[in-house]
Amino acid sequence: MTLSFKNGINEDIIKELSRKKNEPEWMLNKRLKAYQIYKSLEYPKFKYGIGIVTDFTPVELDSLSLNNNINVLNKENKIILENFEDILNNKEDILKNNFMTYCIPPNEDKYTALHCALWGNGILILIPEKTKIKEPLVIEINNDQEASFNNILIIAEGNSCATIIIKNTAGLVNKFTSNVIEVITKKNS
């Protein structure tokens, strides 16, 4: 599924995105607040070395992937692994309390705010208390659309342990990819 917006990003596009994903009102409000932050912040300028400055210009996109393009390999039965759409239906509080709050708040910078407003794909990895995952958990993200905004939320409960490897690929039409990986670790994890 793709969301097209030939006239740029605006509140109506964000509302349509939230409607297509059948999100609760709090998620729509989170998206709209992030969009307001995005509009209010300057584009970042980075300085590398002596006199080398990189100036990012506005992101211009025509469409956004809403397809779940995140695959997980070597999954053990002990962990909870769900896409954000399923979490919103049966474990909403986990997402409401942890998504883009502690690790990466939307007001961190302009592109983080844009990501929070437009995320299209997300996955939760919850490692239960006292769980030790022996084999690495491999996450593959395939960005084959014009733009994709992917979220991986990892919550490691107390005294848990896991190795996570992320593989990221992009297709020929991909102009912009934003991957946010939030890792929340509890005591001794």
Side-chain angles (χ1 to χ4, degrees):
M1 177 172 33
T2 301
L3 180 65
S4 296
F5 40 96
K6 302 291 183 196
N7 296 323
I9 302 165
N10 57 48
E11 284 191 13
D12 290 337
I13 294 296
I14 293 166
K15 289 176 183 175
E16 178 68 9
L17 169 61
S18 188
R19 187 192 63 72
K20 281 189 173 190
K21 296 180 84 50
N22 198 28
E23 295 174 344
E25 188 173 345
W26 69 264
M27 183 60 83
L28 170 60
N29 291 335
K30 187 173 192 89
R31 286 182 185 276
L32 291 172
K33 182 178 179 185
Y35 178 65
Q36 292 305 318
I37 293 169
Y38 167 77
K39 290 191 327 184
S40 72
L41 294 174
E42 298 283 325
Y43 283 95
K45 291 183 181 178
F46 298 99
K47 185 172 184 175
Y48 299 98
I50 300 172
I52 301 171
V53 177
T54 302
D55 186 6
F56 288 88
T57 56
V59 178
E60 294 182 17
L61 304 171
D62 294 327
S63 65
L64 170 66
S65 170
L66 302 180
N67 297 327
N68 190 354
N69 58 354
I70 303 172
N71 296 314
V72 179
L73 307 175
N74 304 337
K75 182 182 84 159
E76 289 193 24
N77 290 335
K78 299 174 190 172
I79 67 169
I80 296 170
L81 176 73
E82 291 189 46
N83 66 46
F84 280 8
E85 287 80 11
D86 290 340
I87 295 168
L88 286 171
N89 289 327
N90 57 39
K91 295 181 182 90
E92 184 176 340
D93 285 346
I94 292 174
L95 206 55
K96 189 174 187 177
N97 295 328
N98 297 289
F99 171 67
M100 297 196 84
T101 53
Y102 306 112
C103 298
I104 306 172
N107 61 356
E108 184 169 298
D109 62 56
K110 190 167 187 83
Y111 290 117
T112 302
L114 180 66
H115 180 98
C116 186
L118 294 179
W119 72 269
N121 309 302
I123 192 165
L124 167 73
I125 300 169
L126 179 63
I127 305 163
E129 188 171 3
K130 298 180 183 177
T131 300
K132 310 286 187 212
I133 308 294
K134 293 180 178 133
E135 294 294 317
L137 187 64
V138 180
I139 301 169
E140 295 181 338
I141 304 172
N142 180 21
N143 301 306
D144 60 353
Q145 299 293 320
E146 181 183 49
S148 56
F149 294 79
N150 306 302
N151 245 81
I152 300 171
L153 175 58
I154 302 167
I155 302 174
E157 296 291 346
N159 298 303
S160 63
C161 180
T163 300
I164 299 173
I165 299 169
I166 299 173
K167 295 180 177 180
N168 197 3
T169 60
L172 295 175
V173 298
N174 188 261
K175 292 182 184 176
F176 186 86
T177 297
S178 176
N179 294 324
V180 168
I181 302 164
E182 298 178 274
V183 180
I184 299 172
T185 57
K186 306 290 174 80
K187 187 176 181 180
N188 295 324
S189 60

